[in-house]
Every structure is written in C-alpha cells, then in structure tokens.
Amino acid sequence: MKSEIPLDEPAPRAHTALLTSTPKGAATGRRVARQQLTTWGLNSLCAEAFHSALIIVAELAANASTHGRTPGRGFELGLSLTSVRRSRTTVLRIEVSDCRGDKRPALPDPRSCSTDAQSGRGLTLVDALADRWGTLPREPNAKTVWAELDLPEQKFEADDTA
C-alpha cells in the first residue's frame, strides 16, 4: 500500500488518555485536556479557542461517560494539533471514543428542549463552538465523536514539542 505524506505539513502533536466511563473519568478528562492545551500554549496564545476546547471536551466526555458507558470499559480522549501550511492554520482536533457504536449522537431538535431541562444541550454547544464536528465508526462496535477548531498558524510555528 502506498501513501503520500505532504512535505509541507509537520507531524501532529498528539496526546491520548484512557479514562473510566464515570463522572470522575469525565472530570479527569477535563483536567488532562486543560493541562495538555496549556502545555501547548493555547491558554495564552489562543484564549478563546482554549476555552472553547475545554467546553467541547467537557461535553463530549460527559456524553461518553453517560450515554456511551459500557460496564468495565472506559473511553478515550485524544487531542492533536496539526499545522496546515497551505491554509496557514493549525487545527486542534478533539476526539472522544467510547464503546457504544450503536448510540450515534445527533443534534437535538430545539423545539423539543424545555427551557428548564437539566440536560440535552451539549451537542448544541459543540456545534456552536467547533468549526467542524462529526462521528466515525470504530471497530468492532464503538464510535469516535470528533470536533475541530481552526487556529492561526503563526502562533504555533516556533514550538514543535509535544
């Protein structure tokens, strides 16, 4: 199998964590994301994207621990920064994978959400904050929910450490 690697795109900086499918695991995921994004400098270089990313991680981790929970199985949080030199951007990709491939997320119908509901708005937040988001099947019966934020490239060119 032959694959092409674009010469103008450096390898992505990535971090992955396996977490328990519990509220404590979701909280740990939020802390892991805050620490990794701070290590990459997003908190000071792109404060708006930093806070948006933390909200997205919180919502996706909460969904994985609530709706994607399978007893004895955890969920995976993945974060990556990839420079795309042609468009002069850096893409922050957030991925949360759980073991419930049969439960694919969908945006709720805004007409069905009551004003005093305690839940049901998480994916609406993800949709509003992310530049792109979606789901991917994961073998054998799992899924990955991903979201991407576009960041200005020049802010990340100097630091290629993970």
Side-chain angles (χ1 to χ4, degrees):
M1 177 176 173
K2 182 179 177 183
S3 62
E4 293 182 28
I5 300 173
L7 297 177
D8 67 342
E9 297 178 16
R13 290 173 270 176
H15 183 79
T16 304
L18 186 59
L19 305 157
T20 61
S21 290
T22 62
K24 185 176 181 179
T28 301
R30 292 190 301 270
R31 285 193 300 277
V32 165
R34 177 179 294 275
Q35 181 178 6
Q36 187 59 52
L37 297 177
T38 299
T39 298
W40 287 336
L42 261 72
N43 60 330
S44 59
L45 297 172
C46 296
E48 185 177 337
F50 174 76
H51 293 292
S52 293
L54 292 179
I55 292 169
I56 292 168
V57 168
E59 294 302 334
L60 296 183
N63 284 353
S65 66
T66 303
H67 307 294
R69 185 167 197 237
T70 300
R73 305 284 304 269
F75 71 94
E76 184 177 278
L77 168 65
L79 302 168
S80 65
L81 277 178
T82 305
S83 295
V84 183
R85 295 203 191 273
R86 287 185 185 110
S87 61
R88 308 247 347 124
T89 60
T90 296
V91 175
L92 169 62
R93 185 173 174 103
I94 301 162
E95 295 183 341
V96 174
S97 302
D98 64 48
C99 298
R100 294 295 307 265
D102 58 324
K103 288 189 153 187
R104 303 292 291 263
L107 282 174
D109 182 354
R111 297 170 294 181
S112 67
C113 291
S114 70
T115 56
D116 59 348
Q118 295 286 321
S119 63
R121 295 182 184 89
L123 286 178
T124 303
L125 283 171
V126 171
D127 187 57
L129 295 171
D131 291 303
R132 293 164 297 285
W133 76 276
T135 62
L136 295 169
R138 191 169 171 169
E139 296 298 326
N141 184 29
K143 70 176 173 301
T144 297
V145 182
W146 59 269
E148 292 180 339
L149 296 167
D150 294 332
L151 311 171
E153 171 64 21
Q154 65 275 13
K155 294 185 178 187
F156 298 95
E157 286 180 311
D159 180 18
D160 285 332
T161 62

